[in-house]
Amino acid sequence: MQSTPKRPARVPRTTKPATPPLTPSRRAVGPRPTTVALIERIIELQIRQVPLETFASDMVPLLLDAMGAPAGALLLYHCESESLAMIGSRALSAMGQRHLESLRRGAADSWEIPLHGLLNRKAYIIERPDEHPFVPELVSRDVVPRAANLASIPLYRGQLPVGVLLAIADDRPIGEREILTHVLAFDTLALALDGYIRLRTSARGVPASATVPTSASAVADSIACETWVDPRELAARLEVELGSEQAARDTLAMRLADAEARLAATTTALERATEGRATLLAEHDAERERVLASERQRGEDVLAELHATIAARETTIADRDRALAEVAAERERTCTVLTEERDRARAAAVEAADLARQLRGSVDAVEREREALRAAYAEAAARGDAAGAAAARLDEELADLRAETSRLRDDRARVLAAVDEPGAEPAAV
């Protein structure tokens, strides 16, 4: 299986939010038919000479059911235009039918993966096609809410490309095993489709490269008036063509037998491994039980030691609690003493503050008295200076008075002496 071929990226599609239906509309997948049942049904429809459109509408559901796919389509190849045209489908949306109606190489909106796989003889399995940038929207979300993968299976008649079968899986992805299981049915389908093309071209008397209808309705119209062909002749021709596939079937059967032999050997080895595993499991269980018993005993010993340690720690904690209680009581007493001392200190501080205030008042009063004394001393000094000056003046005046008194005394003595002199005249004195 091959990966998806590269192509210029397109703009991812956006899905419009849809209101969920009241009842689920997912199309149920029918029982899976076997490869033989598919081949028998293809041959039966060929013998009945049904139109191509009827053949496709009958075979598409069976082929999709065989691979467990709820949706898909059958595309017919036109070699002259190198294009694919849808001739049958199931559970495709209207947009998906428009996309698959005609796939042409090089077209602007054409999906080229199926045509590319057909021309290159490659089957493609595309995982999560809803998220793939190169896969258009093919099914409705109501039918297939989430596609698991998409398989593009090319159909060949020998080396000639005939068509493509598209299968879209939802719950169970399609793998290589499902495709290889029905490879004979796909080859038979390719032979039948090639027979329709050859019958159509031979009935019209034109070569196979002439104009081929590009849609399912045109293909059906082109074979609606074909002449009847003997079913036994058609069956003989199909048997001859299927005979070429018998070798491939035998080879596949041989490969299947070899695979079954290897499977049987592998099954035997698995059984022996299972028995050895059972023995190893028993031994492992016994060893585990022994280890568990040892671990349990060791755990019990550790638990006993832990209990003893816990008891010792509880005793230590009790002693510590008692010591802490004594320390707390001593602390309370100390706090009480310190509180009393603090109260006394506060009272002493208050008294000291009062005394300081009183001392400050006394100092202020003394300062005031000192200032008053200094003022009185200055005034007294000024008065003393004034008194000294007055005393000096008085001394001067006293000296003057004394001098005057002495002079007056001298004058008085002189007068008295003059008076006492005989013959002195008072007027002359």
Side-chain angles (χ1 to χ4, degrees):
M1 301 299 159
Q2 302 293 327
S3 60
T4 307
K6 294 184 178 179
R7 177 185 173 184
R10 64 178 176 83
V11 179
R13 62 178 179 271
T14 56
T15 57
K16 297 181 179 179
T19 304
L22 298 178
T23 58
S25 59
R26 181 184 180 274
R27 186 182 184 90
V29 178
R32 294 193 174 189
T34 61
T35 302
V36 177
L38 291 174
I39 295 174
E40 291 177 350
R41 183 59 178 168
I42 293 172
I43 295 175
E44 179 184 353
L45 293 175
Q46 285 289 290
I47 292 175
R48 289 168 49 191
Q49 288 289 297
V50 297
L52 179 59
E53 186 177 13
T54 304
F55 176 83
S57 63
D58 193 287
M59 286 306 304
V60 167
L62 295 176
L63 293 168
L64 296 179
D65 290 342
M67 291 185 291
L74 181 61
L75 309 177
L76 189 65
Y77 178 66
H78 301 285
C79 60
E80 70 281 355
S81 59
E82 293 187 351
S83 63
L84 289 171
M86 185 177 66
I87 59 175
S89 65
R90 182 175 77 175
L92 295 183
S93 63
M95 184 178 297
Q97 291 179 359
R98 287 195 300 271
H99 276 296
L100 298 180
E101 184 177 2
S102 179
L103 302 179
R104 188 182 302 274
R105 173 180 288 186
D109 298 332
S110 179
W111 181 37
E112 296 184 0
I113 290 179
L115 186 59
H116 186 278
L118 177 65
L119 298 180
N120 291 276
R121 305 185 67 85
K122 295 178 182 178
Y124 291 126
I125 296 178
I126 303 173
E127 302 296 333
R128 297 185 296 275
D130 295 338
E131 304 174 3
H132 201 283
F134 301 120
V135 179
E137 182 180 356
L138 300 178
V139 295
S140 174
R141 292 296 178 89
D142 297 335
V143 179
V144 180
R146 183 178 180 84
N149 63 359
L150 180 148
S152 176
I153 306 169
L155 304 175
Y156 302 93
R157 181 186 178 277
Q159 298 296 324
L160 298 177
V162 175
V164 174
L165 177 64
L166 294 178
I168 303 173
D170 53 357
D171 295 333
R172 181 179 178 182
I174 300 173
E176 296 182 12
R177 182 176 180 181
E178 285 79 3
I179 297 175
L180 296 177
T181 300
H182 304 291
V183 64
L184 294 179
F186 297 150
D187 292 339
T188 307
L189 176 64
L191 290 174
L193 293 177
D194 184 68
Y196 275 107
I197 297 175
R198 292 177 180 273
L199 286 175
R200 180 196 60 204
T201 55
S202 62
R204 292 190 175 185
V206 295
S209 61
T211 304
V212 180
T214 59
S215 64
S217 60
V219 172
D221 293 340
S222 66
I223 64 173
C225 299
E226 291 180 354
T227 58
W228 181 83
V229 179
D230 188 0
R232 287 173 296 186
E233 180 182 353
L234 180 60
R237 186 168 56 200
L238 288 175
E239 289 177 358
V240 171
E241 292 177 350
L242 288 175
S244 62
E245 302 296 331
Q246 187 64 35
R249 182 183 300 179
D250 294 339
T251 303
L252 184 61
M254 292 176 62
R255 292 174 59 187
L256 182 60
D258 183 46
E260 289 177 351
R262 290 198 303 270
L263 179 61
T266 305
T267 304
T268 305
L270 286 176
E271 290 176 354
R272 288 197 299 269
T274 303
E275 293 176 359
R277 181 174 178 272
T279 304
L280 290 176
L281 286 176
E283 295 177 355
H284 177 70
D285 291 338
E287 181 67 18
R288 185 177 60 182
E289 290 295 334
R290 185 183 64 79
V291 172
L292 287 176
S294 175
E295 293 293 333
R296 187 182 300 110
Q297 183 62 36
R298 187 172 64 180
E300 291 177 355
D301 296 339
V302 172
L303 186 61
E305 293 178 0
L306 288 176
H307 283 309
T309 304
I310 290 172
R313 289 186 178 181
E314 288 179 351
T315 303
T316 304
I317 291 172
D319 296 339
R320 186 181 63 184
D321 290 341
R322 286 193 296 272
L324 288 176
E326 295 176 357
V327 171
E330 183 65 24
R331 180 186 174 188
E332 290 295 332
R333 290 193 297 271
T334 304
C335 288
T336 303
V337 173
L338 291 176
T339 303
E340 293 175 356
E341 291 292 336
R342 184 189 62 187
D343 294 338
R344 287 195 294 271
R346 286 180 178 176
V350 171
E351 293 177 358
D354 295 338
L355 181 59
R357 284 194 296 273
Q358 292 176 2
L359 290 175
R360 288 194 187 94
S362 299
V363 169
D364 293 338
V366 170
E367 289 290 335
R368 287 193 298 272
E369 290 178 358
R370 187 180 65 179
E371 293 296 330
L373 289 175
R374 286 179 179 177
Y377 174 76
E379 184 179 357
R383 287 181 181 178
D385 293 338
R393 286 193 304 273
L394 289 176
D395 287 339
E396 293 176 358
E397 290 178 359
L398 179 60
D400 292 338
L401 287 177
R402 285 177 179 174
E404 184 68 26
T405 302
S406 177
R407 187 180 59 81
L408 289 177
R409 282 177 181 172
D410 292 336
D411 289 337
R412 180 174 174 268
R414 186 176 56 81
V415 170
L416 287 178
V419 171
D420 289 334
E421 293 180 359
E425 289 291 335
V429 176

